[in-house]
Amino acid sequence: MLIHIDIEACKGCLICIDNCPKKMLELSTVRNKKGYLVPVVTDPDECSNCLACELLCPDMAVHVEEEEDAA
Amino acid sequence: MHPIAEKRLRKGALPTIFCSGCGHGTVLNAFLRAVDPPEIFDSLALVGGIGCSGWTPVFVDTDAMHTLHGRALAVATGLKLAAPDRKVVVFTGDGDCMSIGGNHFMHAARRNIDMTVIMMNNRIYGMTGGQTAPTTPLDSRTQTSPYGNAEPDIDACRVAEACGATYIARWTSAHPRGITRAVREGLEHPGFAFIEVMVQCPTQAGRYMYGTADSARLLKMIKQAAVPKSRAQGMSEEEMAGRFAIGLLHRSDDRPELTRGLAELNQRAAGEGR
């Protein structure tokens, strides 16, 4: 699976990290322009496409897609 | 951003005023997924009141009205009667709907007017800095109750049912699929659809009432307080203390709907002459 995270839209709430059942999202040391620490994907092959990160994100900064669907 | 957000959000209004980790953002996310199909989106008319919740329509790239505190339902009633083909969705909060807007809420439900109302309940007045709301639990500490809240709280879904709402559901920001489904069902439902969504407010309710601004933790707390309706029915009042039922709580189709009723009334009056 490909997990796209829009770094500049993210407000660093950590809800996606906390809710990933595969624990494959982690807080990175990267700060976006607003100063938020943003999440990073540690193991995209582990993703089960549950969409918790994408559906919960208050800023719609996460998009999960199948590798075959990627443009 | 997510493709649906790229397509359906009003770019000039972004970023949203929602704090980091605010439950309102998740509700907006779930709402957009429900209304993305063009046959729904192109006939939307959104109305918001005042408060963080009332900003939600502004962020959606469609016809929206940002109205006075507590008066979203009154304005939405006028909007629906003037443009009955529109799918009217009202975004309101626990303060906007149950406090200053309580009266309009009673009568919009009583009239069973065809609209979908999404009330985001964070149990506090968020935008104004964290004051007690009618939905703030007893003994809670807020900006206006530093020694504890002396008032019991109100159950908006029970009020909705008592007043005549014909579709009532409650979900939380930890149940985005439930929200999306309820919005779709509410839009299809030919009457007053009331959807209460319990949401976390990290900045006000979180810090004052729950001692944390950690939105992930607050979200977990909300999820743990939620009980599916089928299980809640078998639980005692003690077991349900501090918890709430989620899911579709009430649906009926035996109540006259205002838009149709007024159209029929107009026809009758025109036919009978003076």
Side-chain angles (χ1 to χ4, degrees):
Chain A
M1 305 301 300
L2 291 170
I3 299 109
H4 308 286
I5 298 179
D6 184 343
I7 289 174
E8 296 306 327
C10 173
K11 287 181 187 160
C13 71
L14 314 187
I15 285 175
C16 58
I17 295 170
D18 199 59
N19 284 277
C20 175
K22 297 289 191 173
K23 301 276 175 264
M24 39 143 287
L25 290 169
E26 266 177 24
L27 195 60
S28 71
T29 51
V30 175
R31 284 192 191 276
N32 64 12
K33 292 199 186 94
K34 289 198 220 97
Y36 292 113
L37 285 172
V38 299
V40 69
V41 180
T42 55
D43 198 346
D45 294 328
E46 272 298 296
C47 178
S48 61
N49 202 19
C50 78
L51 302 183
C53 54
E54 186 185 296
L55 297 176
L56 289 171
C57 179
D59 298 282
M60 297 191 82
V62 186
H63 178 44
V64 183
E65 59 177 351
E66 310 258 3
E67 294 193 37
E68 306 85 64
D69 296 338
Chain B
M1 296 179 94
H2 192 281
I4 294 178
E6 296 281 354
K7 192 172 30 151
R8 300 304 194 190
L9 289 182
R10 196 188 301 271
K11 297 291 171 26
L14 298 178
T16 66
I17 54 111
F18 305 141
C19 298
S20 162
C22 172
H24 291 63
T26 306
V27 176
L28 175 57
N29 186 339
F31 172 76
L32 288 183
R33 287 161 202 277
V35 301
D36 183 46
E39 62 271 17
I40 303 177
F41 198 85
D42 294 344
S43 53
L44 280 181
L46 309 181
V47 184
I50 296 300
C52 298
S53 57
W55 273 95
T56 312
V58 176
F59 302 127
V60 184
D61 192 15
T62 185
D63 294 330
M65 299 179 80
H66 199 177
T67 69
L68 301 174
H69 201 14
R71 317 299 165 190
L73 286 167
V75 176
T77 299
L79 169 56
K80 180 68 182 182
L81 293 175
D85 293 336
R86 293 292 196 119
K87 293 192 189 307
V88 176
V89 182
V90 178
F91 286 90
T92 182
D94 49 299
D96 191 75
C97 188
M98 301 308 295
S99 190
I100 183 168
N103 187 281
H104 296 302
F105 177 58
M106 280 171 59
H107 298 294
R110 176 180 60 84
R111 288 162 165 166
N112 191 30
I113 185 165
D114 180 22
M115 58 178 57
T116 302
V117 178
I118 302 170
M119 183 188 91
M120 287 168 272
N121 187 357
N122 55 14
R123 298 198 188 261
I124 204 158
Y125 291 165
M127 175 148 280
T128 44
Q131 297 82 19
T132 314
T135 46
T136 304
L138 195 68
D139 301 330
S140 296
R141 265 159 227 291
T142 68
Q143 282 280 43
T144 48
S145 58
Y147 302 104
N149 177 28
E151 300 173 25
D153 61 302
I154 200 166
D155 182 332
C157 290
R158 284 181 66 192
V159 175
E161 188 172 352
C163 292
T166 48
Y167 177 98
I168 303 171
R170 182 190 287 121
W171 292 102
T172 82
S173 46
H175 298 89
R177 288 187 172 98
I179 300 170
T180 300
R181 185 163 73 240
V183 171
R184 282 219 183 97
E185 288 176 355
L187 287 169
E188 271 167 30
H189 177 76
F192 191 78
F194 179 66
I195 304 168
E196 176 176 20
V197 188
M198 309 304 291
V199 295
Q200 71 278 15
C201 169
T203 308
Q204 313 297 5
R207 289 186 306 145
Y208 300 132
M209 289 162 58
Y210 303 110
T212 179
D214 181 338
S215 42
R217 244 181 82 196
L218 290 166
L219 190 62
K220 258 200 188 72
M221 287 161 66
I222 289 182
K223 193 172 184 183
Q224 277 157 7
V227 183
K229 178 193 174 184
S230 49
R231 193 149 63 91
Q233 277 167 340
M235 287 167 72
S236 68
E237 224 176 280
E238 283 93 40
E239 287 172 305
M240 280 301 284
R243 308 185 76 181
F244 47 84
I246 54 166
L248 173 59
L249 304 179
H250 174 80
R251 177 155 55 185
S252 63
D253 56 9
D254 56 359
R255 198 174 171 89
E257 189 275 326
L258 186 72
T259 325
R260 248 192 323 272
L262 282 179
E264 281 162 21
L265 171 66
N266 283 343
Q267 270 186 336
R268 269 203 313 279
E272 285 167 27
R274 287 185 181 276

